[in-house]
Amino acid sequence: MPTICMWSSSDASERKLHDEELRVEHAEIVAPVHRSGRAAGYLIIWNGTDQSKSLSSIRLPSGNSIALHETVVVGGIARMRPVDFPYTIPPRSELVMRRGSYHMMFPAADVTLVPHEQMKLRLEFSGGQSMEVKAIVRPFGTPVAGDHHGESGS
């Protein structure tokens, strides 16, 4: 399941992804079943520039880091593994975080999640660029935007 998507110029215009910028869309956090559980977060980072961009960290307003994980299937068993920063996004490509692939993991002790409220995240990129993003908190079991991103008819 690819998570870096390359678009031709006609695809980019059709999807309005032709602008030459770094953009974050569909930032969502799914609350855990139990308050003591860890939450997963998803978003899409579009790199519309002509240069690779390297995501160096994701942080909470407290300054605490959020881990980036990838789900891999080994021997028919899905397992999460941490992904080291920086994570490079090629030019005119996007990183799609979704269930069963790349995602953010929020430590239970660091966050209080209230469904339908927003949480601020700071995405830091190599070279000193950073972005503040507001992620909507979804109740457990809610589908997220990245689950069907790039599929026909979505």
Side-chain angles (χ1 to χ4, degrees):
M1 180 179 317
T3 54
I4 294 287
C5 301
M6 304 290 282
W7 302 105
S8 71
S9 60
S10 62
D11 288 338
S13 336
E14 185 176 309
R15 295 174 181 270
K16 296 185 180 176
L17 294 176
H18 60 279
D19 27 323
E20 296 185 9
E21 65 181 354
L22 190 60
R23 181 169 64 200
V24 176
E25 300 175 334
H26 305 295
E28 300 172 291
I29 302 166
V30 178
V33 176
H34 303 288
R35 286 185 174 239
S36 60
R38 296 173 67 184
Y42 310 93
L43 51 77
I44 298 168
I45 302 173
W46 164 249
N47 177 10
T49 72
D50 291 329
Q51 299 178 356
S52 292
K53 297 290 182 176
S54 294
L55 179 63
S56 56
S57 70
I58 305 168
R59 297 192 179 279
L60 294 168
S62 65
N64 291 350
S65 293
I66 299 301
L68 181 62
H69 284 184
E70 178 182 21
T71 302
V72 293
V73 178
V74 178
I77 299 171
R79 299 186 188 278
M80 281 193 307
R81 69 175 183 134
V83 175
D84 293 329
F85 288 110
Y87 184 91
T88 301
I89 305 167
R92 302 217 180 278
S93 301
E94 59 187 1
L95 167 62
V96 179
M97 294 186 195
R98 61 178 160 210
R99 288 183 175 97
S101 185
Y102 289 96
H103 56 278
M104 299 173 284
M105 288 303 300
F106 293 79
D110 288 351
V111 295
T112 301
L113 299 172
V114 179
H116 310 292
E117 289 193 2
Q118 293 184 343
M119 173 175 284
K120 290 181 184 177
L121 303 174
R122 177 164 289 297
L123 280 64
E124 298 173 344
F125 295 85
S126 299
Q129 184 177 9
S130 66
M131 308 175 83
E132 187 172 280
V133 176
K134 290 181 182 176
I136 186 77
V137 177
R138 305 282 185 204
F140 180 80
T142 303
V144 294
D147 286 350
H148 303 290
H149 188 77
E151 293 178 6
S152 180
S154 58

